[in-house]
């Protein structure tokens, strides 16, 4: 009798613990949402703030820092408004943009980026209010006046002006970054860091539909006449006569290739054949493209608390993924460092990791977060291109910790919640570099704010 009562009591206590745990984990999930940033200073009108919070904050962030919850997956990243630096202007290099410049970006959008044309969504008063609100994020708009460029006389376009433009293009050395053919061929360098800390590439000038600031001759003229602040794209003010600068814009417009969607079958085949050829002759470039579209950079570069890449740590690994209840993963260092990166791995070892999920220590990776099953179908040429690009990365010493598996109890408890209680099992990414650069030992790994990947 006594034994039975004890068993019952034990049972009740266990039930209570179980319930408390359940409550705790559910509550925990609520607490782990995004931190709510504070709203910026005095809004001029509530309307501007309302529309901004509803339409723009998801990318540009509540405080205009370009760190909204949707940023992780975007390339290019949304603008950080607090610096007051703008790319698409009709004003001199270093000047703030005019209201019309900002309105143009907002109304027409920036082609080929996540910044859509808001014209059909936001009109009239709201548009004006939102413009005023965006300007509040930087003190520059209070203390400075925009300096519009003098556009000069527009030269009528002709074969002669286009020919002249080609020569000026060479003389001004646009080819150093855009290549002699506008496609990057023969360029000295095509990959850069912008002032916000993101990688950027010189635009392929034969694909005007990718020009974010627009593809009219006037748009092209303004881009290099005023420069794109915050990027390596310089301003050519005073570098040549206005007439010559207009002819360069006409030349650039003239080298546009036919877009794929208006090619016939024969042209398409020739086009992709040529792309294949180019990939073979320049694997590093092809590899850079693949590494960017396959998301390697997003996972293998550690992040700061606002979700932006840590400076100087491009692809150096050390991002921490807590995938409950499976394991805590640390992304690998993919730079060419021989000790902590891929420098001393053979091509075959890297291919085995990418296509078979086999790590260089022989252990197998789970099919997540490292998405190797989706890479298993990569063509040999593409694998070689990825490796060629990774080998071209400067070595960064960053010793990444081993993966941590949970103990059996928490693993089973996690599985139970997933399968029986049907709770979603979230993955968390912790900001900071969890690897050990030279000056730090692994035991001092960073543990800063918990973030949830959308
Ligand atoms: C889905 C994400 C997204 C949303 C939503 C969004 N933007 Fe953007 N925005 C971007 C990106 C990405 C860029 C950067 C493009 C680049 O660097 O070329 C940008 C750039 C800008 C720029 C800078 C242009 C320059 O000259 O540098 C302005 C101004 C801007 N956005 C305003 C807004 C406003 C106002 C809203 C709300 C109505 C908004 N954006 C909503 C993604 C977004
Ligand atoms: C130092 C390298 C460099 C030089 C020199 C250079 N560019 Fe650029 N250019 C860039 C980069 C980088 C970008 C992309 C910037 C971005 O969006 O982050 C770019 C973008 C552009 C764009 C696209 C803008 C858009 O709307 O998206 C045009 C057009 C352009 N350049 C034309 C020229 C012309 C013409 C010259 C010579 C007069 C020139 N560039 C010289 C680096 C350069
Ligand atoms: C969604 C995030 C994610 C993406 C995208 C991703 N990786 Fe990984 N990768 C990881 C994680 C996490 C690990 C560590 C897995 C482990 O320890 O089991 C890893 C491991 C690796 C390894 C194994 C290194 C070793 O220990 O031998 C290589 C190589 C690698 N990744 C290369 C790449 C390349 C190249 C790409 C792009 C083509 C890429 N990864 C894309 C998350 C990612």
């Amino acid at each position: 009798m006594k034994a039975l009562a004890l068993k019952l009591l034990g049972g009740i206590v266990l039930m209570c613990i179980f319930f408390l745990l359940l409550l705790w984990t559910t509550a925990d999930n609520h607490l782990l949402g995004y931190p709510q940033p504070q709203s910026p200073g005095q809004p001029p009108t509530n309307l501007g703030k309302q529309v901004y919070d509803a339409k723009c904050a998801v990318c540009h962030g509540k405080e205009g820092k370009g760190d909204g919850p949707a940023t992780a997956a975007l390339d290019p990243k949304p603008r950080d408004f607090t610096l007051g630096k703008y790319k698409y202007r009709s004003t001199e290099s270093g000047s703030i943009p005019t209201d019309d410049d900002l309105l143009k970006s907002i109304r027409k959008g920036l082609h080929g980026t996540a910044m859509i044309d808001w014209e059909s969504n936001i009109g009239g008063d709201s548009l004006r209010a939102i413009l005023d609100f965006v300007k509040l994020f930087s003190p520059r708009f209070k203390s400075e006046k925009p300096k519009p460029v003098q556009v000069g006389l527009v030269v009528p376009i002709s074969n002669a002006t286009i020919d002249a433009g080609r020569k000026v293009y060479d003389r001004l050395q646009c080819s150093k970054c855009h290549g002699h053919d506008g496609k990057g061929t023969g360029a000295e360098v095509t990959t850069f860091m912008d002032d916000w800390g993101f990688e950027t590439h010189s635009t392929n000038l034969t694909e005007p539909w990718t020009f974010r600031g627009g593809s009219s001759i006037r748009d092209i003229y303004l881009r290099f006449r005023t420069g794109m602040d915050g990027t390596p794209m310089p301003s050519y003010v005073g570098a040549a006569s206005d007439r010559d600068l207009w002819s360069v814009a006409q030349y650039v417009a003239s080298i546009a290739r036919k877009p794929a969607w208006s090619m016939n079958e024969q042209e398409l085949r020739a086009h992709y054949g040529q792309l294949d050829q180019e990939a073979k002759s320049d694997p590093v470039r092809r590899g850079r493209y693949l590494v960017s579209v396959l998301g390697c950079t997003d996972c293998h570069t550690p992040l700061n608390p606002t979700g932006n890449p840590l400076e100087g740590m491009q692809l150096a690994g050390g991002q921490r993924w807590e995938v409950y209840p499976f394991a805590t993963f640390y992304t690998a260092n993919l730079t060419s460092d021989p000790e902590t990166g891929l420098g001393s791995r053979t091509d075959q070892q890297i291919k085995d990791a990418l296509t078979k999920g086999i790590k260089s220590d022989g252990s197998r990776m789970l099919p997540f977060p490292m998405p190797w099953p989706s890479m298993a179908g990569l063509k040999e040429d593409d694998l070689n291109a990825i490796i060629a690009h990774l080998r071209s990365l400067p070595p960064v010493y960053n010793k990444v910790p081993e993966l941590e598996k949970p103990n059996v109890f928490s693993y089973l408890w996690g599985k139970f919640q997933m399968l029986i209680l049907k709770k979603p099992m979230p993955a968390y990414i912790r900001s900071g570099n969890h690897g050990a650069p030279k000056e730090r030992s692994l035991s001092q790994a960073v543990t800063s704010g918990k973030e949830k990947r959308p």
Side-chain angles (χ1 to χ4, degrees):
M1 193 62 194
K2 213 173 163 191
L4 188 69
L6 265 182
K7 264 188 194 159
L8 256 173
L9 195 68
I12 291 170
V13 169
L14 265 180
M15 287 267 284
C16 288
I17 293 175
F18 179 81
F19 252 99
L20 279 176
L21 265 175
L22 196 68
L23 264 177
W24 176 70
T25 39
T26 342
D28 194 33
N29 265 357
H30 283 299
L31 293 176
L32 294 179
Y34 291 105
Q36 289 294 308
Q38 263 133 50
S39 48
Q42 287 288 306
T45 64
N46 272 332
L47 183 61
K49 180 170 166 48
Q50 267 166 23
V51 187
Y52 181 87
D53 283 351
K55 311 263 188 201
C56 322
V58 61
C59 290
H60 291 285
K62 283 246 182 220
E63 295 174 80
K65 289 188 188 148
D67 59 354
T71 47
L74 299 183
D75 179 23
K77 300 289 177 199
R79 186 73 64 258
D80 172 350
F81 295 134
T82 60
L83 291 183
K85 275 190 194 169
Y86 287 86
K87 288 190 192 174
Y88 313 102
R89 296 167 294 100
S90 62
T91 57
E92 293 294 357
S93 175
S95 158
I96 53 171
T98 65
D99 284 3
D100 281 346
D101 292 339
L102 292 175
L103 281 174
K104 182 177 176 223
S105 299
I106 301 171
R107 287 176 49 230
K108 302 284 177 207
L110 301 168
H111 302 272
T113 78
M115 175 72 189
I116 58 161
D117 50 326
W118 292 96
E119 205 160 31
S120 46
N121 275 284
I122 309 173
D125 288 351
S126 304
L127 201 60
R128 195 70 227 178
I130 207 159
L131 169 74
D132 290 338
F133 189 72
V134 165
K135 283 161 65 182
L136 274 187
F137 287 118
S138 160
R140 293 191 63 192
F141 288 96
K142 272 214 191 86
S143 55
E144 296 173 36
K145 285 225 149 37
K147 303 189 193 82
V149 298
Q150 299 302 316
V151 166
L153 208 60
V154 186
V155 190
I157 191 164
S158 69
N159 284 341
T161 58
I162 290 173
D163 269 357
R166 137 117 257 167
K167 293 194 186 97
V168 186
Y169 177 93
D170 288 340
R171 179 154 60 81
L172 296 181
Q173 301 188 318
C174 310
S175 49
K176 270 196 172 165
C177 303
H178 292 284
H180 57 74
D181 55 1
K183 288 195 286 186
T185 312
E188 279 175 20
V189 52
T190 54
T191 301
F192 308 87
M193 272 294 176
D194 69 21
D195 286 7
W196 297 274
F198 300 113
E199 202 176 282
T200 182
H201 309 285
S202 11
T203 310
N204 179 340
L205 296 182
T206 67
E207 298 177 349
W209 55 90
T210 66
F211 295 179
R212 298 171 191 158
S215 55
S216 74
I217 291 177
R218 184 190 151 83
D219 290 330
I220 298 172
Y221 168 90
L222 282 177
R223 283 306 78 74
F224 65 84
R225 167 67 180 77
T226 73
M228 295 168 72
D229 285 358
T231 86
M233 174 64 204
S235 157
Y236 283 85
V237 56
S241 69
D242 240 338
R243 193 187 164 80
D244 281 352
L245 292 183
W246 277 107
S247 68
V248 173
Q250 293 174 350
Y251 165 68
V252 169
S254 79
I255 59 175
R257 72 164 172 84
K258 210 173 188 180
W261 55 89
S262 54
M263 288 180 183
N264 64 30
E265 200 186 323
Q266 222 174 4
E267 289 168 326
L268 269 179
R269 209 168 286 146
H271 174 61
Y272 284 109
Q274 198 194 343
L275 285 190
D276 265 358
Q277 275 301 290
E278 284 171 12
K280 283 211 180 73
S281 66
D282 192 352
V284 173
R285 189 156 138 210
R286 169 81 182 154
R288 188 188 65 220
Y289 167 77
L290 289 168
V291 162
S292 136
V293 297
L294 294 174
C296 324
T297 320
D298 296 331
C299 291
H300 285 271
T301 303
L303 303 172
N304 68 21
T306 56
N308 292 333
L310 281 180
E311 220 171 298
M313 299 298 291
Q314 176 96 333
L315 289 166
Q319 211 184 79
R320 175 174 158 131
W321 283 62
E322 291 162 18
V323 188
Y324 188 69
F326 296 98
T328 293
F329 301 87
Y330 297 92
T331 62
N333 181 343
L334 303 185
T335 71
S336 57
D337 185 64
E339 195 184 329
T340 63
L342 299 180
S344 55
R345 309 276 168 85
T346 63
D347 284 7
Q348 194 54 49
Q349 278 177 316
I350 302 177
K351 284 181 194 170
D352 284 348
L354 295 185
T355 60
K356 300 195 187 110
I358 303 174
K359 292 211 276 193
S360 54
D361 62 7
S363 64
R364 296 298 297 261
M365 286 188 257
L366 285 170
F368 54 83
M370 169 70 194
W372 61 267
S374 69
M375 298 176 196
L378 281 174
K379 288 190 296 184
E380 192 68 17
D381 278 351
D382 283 346
L383 282 170
N384 289 334
I386 291 174
I387 293 170
H389 171 62
L390 294 177
R391 297 223 185 277
S392 78
L393 296 172
V396 178
Y397 184 99
N398 192 35
K399 196 166 170 49
V400 172
E402 294 288 325
L403 145 154
E404 293 156 17
K405 290 213 171 112
N407 59 41
V408 177
F409 176 73
S410 38
Y411 179 72
L412 289 178
W413 166 240
K415 276 271 192 173
F416 172 73
Q417 291 186 87
M418 236 168 121
L419 298 174
I420 312 293
L421 305 181
K422 302 273 183 240
K423 278 183 59 173
M425 284 300 131
Y428 294 107
I429 301 167
R430 273 185 193 265
S431 56
N433 171 25
H434 300 272
K438 271 261 153 62
E439 69 277 12
R440 198 166 73 201
S441 77
L442 266 184
S443 57
Q444 294 170 280
V446 185
T447 42
S448 45
K450 224 178 200 186
E451 289 128 49
K452 191 175 172 186
R453 177 149 287 207

